mmCIF file with all atom_site columns, all heavy atoms in Angstrom:
data_model
loop_
_atom_site.group_PDB
_atom_site.id
_atom_site.type_symbol
_atom_site.label_atom_id
_atom_site.label_alt_id
_atom_site.label_comp_id
_atom_site.label_asym_id
_atom_site.label_entity_id
_atom_site.label_seq_id
_atom_site.pdbx_PDB_ins_code
_atom_site.Cartn_x
_atom_site.Cartn_y
_atom_site.Cartn_z
_atom_site.occupancy
_atom_site.B_iso_or_equiv
_atom_site.pdbx_formal_charge
_atom_site.auth_seq_id
_atom_site.auth_comp_id
_atom_site.auth_asym_id
_atom_site.auth_atom_id
_atom_site.pdbx_PDB_model_num
ATOM 1  N N   . VAL U 1 22  ? -2.058  27.487  2.535   1.00 96.00 ? 296 VAL U N   1
ATOM 2  C CA  . VAL U 1 22  ? -2.288  28.834  2.799   1.00 96.00 ? 296 VAL U CA  1
ATOM 3  C C   . VAL U 1 22  ? -0.969  29.607  2.707   1.00 96.00 ? 296 VAL U C   1
ATOM 4  O O   . VAL U 1 22  ? 0.039   29.159  3.245   1.00 96.00 ? 296 VAL U O   1
ATOM 5  C CB  . VAL U 1 22  ? -3.041  29.158  4.095   1.00 96.00 ? 296 VAL U CB  1
ATOM 6  C CG1 . VAL U 1 22  ? -2.179  28.622  5.228   1.00 96.00 ? 296 VAL U CG1 1
ATOM 7  C CG2 . VAL U 1 22  ? -3.416  30.698  4.238   1.00 96.00 ? 296 VAL U CG2 1
ATOM 8  N N   . GLU U 1 32  ? 9.751   38.532  9.578   1.00 96.00 ? 306 GLU U N   1
ATOM 9  C CA  . GLU U 1 32  ? 8.439   38.563  10.304  1.00 96.00 ? 306 GLU U CA  1
ATOM 10 C C   . GLU U 1 32  ? 7.323   39.167  9.509   1.00 96.00 ? 306 GLU U C   1
ATOM 11 O O   . GLU U 1 32  ? 7.599   40.072  8.744   1.00 96.00 ? 306 GLU U O   1
ATOM 12 C CB  . GLU U 1 32  ? 8.715   39.316  11.696  1.00 96.00 ? 306 GLU U CB  1
ATOM 13 C CG  . GLU U 1 32  ? 9.697   38.643  12.591  1.00 96.00 ? 306 GLU U CG  1
ATOM 14 C CD  . GLU U 1 32  ? 9.863   39.306  13.939  1.00 96.00 ? 306 GLU U CD  1
ATOM 15 O OE1 . GLU U 1 32  ? 9.073   40.400  14.096  1.00 96.00 ? 306 GLU U OE1 1
ATOM 16 O OE2 . GLU U 1 32  ? 10.666  38.926  14.702  1.00 96.00 ? 306 GLU U OE2 1
ATOM 17 N N   . THR U 1 39  ? -2.241  39.433  11.106  1.00 97.00 ? 313 THR U N   1
ATOM 18 C CA  . THR U 1 39  ? -3.689  39.207  11.384  1.00 97.00 ? 313 THR U CA  1
ATOM 19 C C   . THR U 1 39  ? -4.255  38.081  10.588  1.00 97.00 ? 313 THR U C   1
ATOM 20 O O   . THR U 1 39  ? -5.141  37.315  11.142  1.00 97.00 ? 313 THR U O   1
ATOM 21 C CB  . THR U 1 39  ? -4.429  40.586  11.018  1.00 97.00 ? 313 THR U CB  1
ATOM 22 O OG1 . THR U 1 39  ? -3.912  41.672  11.838  1.00 97.00 ? 313 THR U OG1 1
ATOM 23 C CG2 . THR U 1 39  ? -5.919  40.411  11.413  1.00 97.00 ? 313 THR U CG2 1
ATOM 24 N N   . ASN U 1 69  ? 19.643  34.516  0.950   1.00 94.00 ? 343 ASN U N   1
ATOM 25 C CA  . ASN U 1 69  ? 18.221  34.165  0.606   1.00 94.00 ? 343 ASN U CA  1
ATOM 26 C C   . ASN U 1 69  ? 17.892  32.862  1.365   1.00 94.00 ? 343 ASN U C   1
ATOM 27 O O   . ASN U 1 69  ? 16.768  32.724  1.781   1.00 94.00 ? 343 ASN U O   1
ATOM 28 C CB  . ASN U 1 69  ? 17.943  34.098  -0.787  1.00 94.00 ? 343 ASN U CB  1
ATOM 29 C CG  . ASN U 1 69  ? 17.966  35.500  -1.437  1.00 94.00 ? 343 ASN U CG  1
ATOM 30 O OD1 . ASN U 1 69  ? 17.647  36.465  -0.832  1.00 94.00 ? 343 ASN U OD1 1
ATOM 31 N ND2 . ASN U 1 69  ? 18.294  35.559  -2.794  1.00 94.00 ? 343 ASN U ND2 1
ATOM 32 N N   . LYS U 1 165 ? -5.170  -30.045 1.519   1.00 94.00 ? 439 LYS U N   1
ATOM 33 C CA  . LYS U 1 165 ? -4.638  -31.283 2.127   1.00 94.00 ? 439 LYS U CA  1
ATOM 34 C C   . LYS U 1 165 ? -5.372  -32.468 1.547   1.00 94.00 ? 439 LYS U C   1
ATOM 35 O O   . LYS U 1 165 ? -6.613  -32.421 1.273   1.00 94.00 ? 439 LYS U O   1
ATOM 36 C CB  . LYS U 1 165 ? -4.839  -31.235 3.626   1.00 94.00 ? 439 LYS U CB  1
ATOM 37 C CG  . LYS U 1 165 ? -4.040  -30.068 4.306   1.00 94.00 ? 439 LYS U CG  1
ATOM 38 C CD  . LYS U 1 165 ? -2.556  -30.245 4.236   1.00 94.00 ? 439 LYS U CD  1
ATOM 39 C CE  . LYS U 1 165 ? -1.853  -29.148 5.029   1.00 94.00 ? 439 LYS U CE  1
ATOM 40 N NZ  . LYS U 1 165 ? -0.368  -29.346 4.938   1.00 94.00 ? 439 LYS U NZ  1
ATOM 41 N N   . ASN U 1 194 ? -19.029 -18.138 -0.343  1.00 97.00 ? 468 ASN U N   1
ATOM 42 C CA  . ASN U 1 194 ? -18.176 -16.995 -0.588  1.00 97.00 ? 468 ASN U CA  1
ATOM 43 C C   . ASN U 1 194 ? -18.330 -16.577 -2.098  1.00 97.00 ? 468 ASN U C   1
ATOM 44 O O   . ASN U 1 194 ? -17.428 -16.706 -2.836  1.00 97.00 ? 468 ASN U O   1
ATOM 45 C CB  . ASN U 1 194 ? -16.723 -17.215 -0.242  1.00 97.00 ? 468 ASN U CB  1
ATOM 46 C CG  . ASN U 1 194 ? -16.590 -17.373 1.308   1.00 97.00 ? 468 ASN U CG  1
ATOM 47 O OD1 . ASN U 1 194 ? -16.450 -16.488 2.046   1.00 97.00 ? 468 ASN U OD1 1
ATOM 48 N ND2 . ASN U 1 194 ? -16.442 -18.645 1.644   1.00 97.00 ? 468 ASN U ND2 1
ATOM 49 N N   . CYS U 1 207 ? 9.388   -35.414 -8.085  1.00 93.00 ? 481 CYS U N   1
ATOM 50 C CA  . CYS U 1 207 ? 10.187  -36.631 -8.563  1.00 93.00 ? 481 CYS U CA  1
ATOM 51 C C   . CYS U 1 207 ? 10.846  -36.636 -9.923  1.00 93.00 ? 481 CYS U C   1
ATOM 52 O O   . CYS U 1 207 ? 11.707  -37.532 -10.150 1.00 93.00 ? 481 CYS U O   1
ATOM 53 C CB  . CYS U 1 207 ? 9.307   -37.871 -8.340  1.00 93.00 ? 481 CYS U CB  1
ATOM 54 S SG  . CYS U 1 207 ? 8.442   -37.923 -6.792  1.00 93.00 ? 481 CYS U SG  1
ATOM 55 N N   . LYS U 1 224 ? -10.857 -28.053 -10.992 1.00 98.00 ? 498 LYS U N   1
ATOM 56 C CA  . LYS U 1 224 ? -11.790 -26.968 -11.478 1.00 98.00 ? 498 LYS U CA  1
ATOM 57 C C   . LYS U 1 224 ? -13.121 -27.648 -12.148 1.00 98.00 ? 498 LYS U C   1
ATOM 58 O O   . LYS U 1 224 ? -14.153 -27.133 -11.874 1.00 98.00 ? 498 LYS U O   1
ATOM 59 C CB  . LYS U 1 224 ? -11.155 -26.123 -12.634 1.00 98.00 ? 498 LYS U CB  1
ATOM 60 C CG  . LYS U 1 224 ? -12.080 -25.145 -13.254 1.00 98.00 ? 498 LYS U CG  1
ATOM 61 C CD  . LYS U 1 224 ? -11.474 -24.138 -14.241 1.00 98.00 ? 498 LYS U CD  1
ATOM 62 C CE  . LYS U 1 224 ? -12.482 -23.261 -14.811 1.00 98.00 ? 498 LYS U CE  1
ATOM 63 N NZ  . LYS U 1 224 ? -11.775 -22.166 -15.713 1.00 98.00 ? 498 LYS U NZ  1
ATOM 64 N N   . LYS U 1 240 ? -3.581  -23.164 -13.049 1.00 97.00 ? 514 LYS U N   1
ATOM 65 C CA  . LYS U 1 240 ? -2.211  -23.096 -13.597 1.00 97.00 ? 514 LYS U CA  1
ATOM 66 C C   . LYS U 1 240 ? -1.338  -24.329 -13.189 1.00 97.00 ? 514 LYS U C   1
ATOM 67 O O   . LYS U 1 240 ? -1.564  -24.707 -12.042 1.00 97.00 ? 514 LYS U O   1
ATOM 68 C CB  . LYS U 1 240 ? -1.563  -21.781 -13.026 1.00 97.00 ? 514 LYS U CB  1
ATOM 69 C CG  . LYS U 1 240 ? -0.184  -21.431 -13.696 1.00 97.00 ? 514 LYS U CG  1
ATOM 70 C CD  . LYS U 1 240 ? 0.165   -20.020 -13.275 1.00 97.00 ? 514 LYS U CD  1
ATOM 71 C CE  . LYS U 1 240 ? 1.450   -19.595 -14.046 1.00 97.00 ? 514 LYS U CE  1
ATOM 72 N NZ  . LYS U 1 240 ? 1.773   -18.224 -13.731 1.00 97.00 ? 514 LYS U NZ  1
ATOM 73 N N   . GLN U 1 246 ? 8.406   -25.053 -8.722  1.00 95.00 ? 520 GLN U N   1
ATOM 74 C CA  . GLN U 1 246 ? 8.375   -24.459 -7.389  1.00 95.00 ? 520 GLN U CA  1
ATOM 75 C C   . GLN U 1 246 ? 8.320   -25.629 -6.236  1.00 95.00 ? 520 GLN U C   1
ATOM 76 O O   . GLN U 1 246 ? 7.438   -25.688 -5.399  1.00 95.00 ? 520 GLN U O   1
ATOM 77 C CB  . GLN U 1 246 ? 7.103   -23.647 -7.257  1.00 95.00 ? 520 GLN U CB  1
ATOM 78 C CG  . GLN U 1 246 ? 7.170   -22.522 -8.118  1.00 95.00 ? 520 GLN U CG  1
ATOM 79 C CD  . GLN U 1 246 ? 5.973   -21.574 -7.974  1.00 95.00 ? 520 GLN U CD  1
ATOM 80 O OE1 . GLN U 1 246 ? 5.113   -21.663 -7.048  1.00 95.00 ? 520 GLN U OE1 1
ATOM 81 N NE2 . GLN U 1 246 ? 5.819   -20.493 -8.735  1.00 95.00 ? 520 GLN U NE2 1
#
Side-chain angles (χ1 to χ4, degrees):
V296 59
E306 296 185 359
T313 300
N343 288 334
K439 300 295 186 180
N468 296 273
C481 309
K498 176 175 180 175
K514 189 170 185 178
Q520 296 184 5

